[in-house]
Amino acid sequence: RESSGINAEYGAKEGISINGGLLALGNVISALGDEKRKVSHVPYRDSKLTRLLQDSLGGNSQTLMVACVSPADRDFMETLNTLKYANRAKNIKNKVVVNQDKTSRIITR
């Protein structure tokens, strides 16, 4: 029983950490995607997840978000929240530019 208590405690801490990372990701997505707010500071350093995704979200890249939804009635609220989250991510607009230095640009011509 002791080990199951330790495992349950570890699982709870891990769940809290995951939720914190997703909350920070939601804040970054809101800051980048909301044109009305015009936020000058994007909170990338609030979690390890957002720090890892910094170049993908606000950098020089194209990013794809996959939202897993369920048609079941019991999962309606979770599906709705997932779709709202994905819709906010859809509003992020990056200007993608090919990274090349001057010598490689000359070589490709």
Side-chain angles (χ1 to χ4, degrees), residues 27-68:
N27 292 338
V28 168
I29 288 172
S30 293
L32 290 171
D34 193 2
E35 294 177 3
K36 296 175 185 174
R37 288 177 40 176
K38 292 291 183 190
V39 177
S40 61
H41 171 70
V42 181
Y44 290 118
R45 293 186 176 188
D46 287 355
S47 78
K48 291 178 184 178
L49 177 64
T50 54
R51 187 72 175 126
L52 287 171
L53 294 174
Q54 181 176 359
D55 291 335
S56 298
L57 292 171
N60 187 20
S61 63
Q62 292 180 341
T63 305
L64 174 72
M65 179 176 182
V66 177
C68 297

Side-chain angles (χ1 to χ4, degrees), residues 11-106:
K13 286 181 182 179
E14 186 176 2
I16 290 169
S17 177
I18 290 170
N19 285 339
L22 291 175
L23 177 65
L25 180 60
N27 292 338
V28 168
I29 288 172
S30 293
L32 290 171
D34 193 2
E35 294 177 3
K36 296 175 185 174
R37 288 177 40 176
K38 292 291 183 190
V39 177
S40 61
H41 171 70
V42 181
Y44 290 118
R45 293 186 176 188
D46 287 355
S47 78
K48 291 178 184 178
L49 177 64
T50 54
R51 187 72 175 126
L52 287 171
L53 294 174
Q54 181 176 359
D55 291 335
S56 298
L57 292 171
N60 187 20
S61 63
Q62 292 180 341
T63 305
L64 174 72
M65 179 176 182
V66 177
C68 297
V69 296
S70 171
D73 291 339
R74 62 186 170 98
D75 297 328
F76 174 75
M77 288 308 295
E78 188 172 347
T79 296
L80 182 63
N81 289 333
T82 301
L83 290 174
K84 287 179 181 178
Y85 199 84
N87 190 44
R88 286 190 300 162
K90 183 181 75 170
N91 295 329
I92 298 173
K93 303 294 181 205
N94 288 344
K95 295 180 182 177
V96 181
V97 179
V98 177
N99 293 332
Q100 284 186 339
D101 60 353
K102 293 177 184 179
T103 57
S104 64
R105 216 177 299 147
I106 293 170

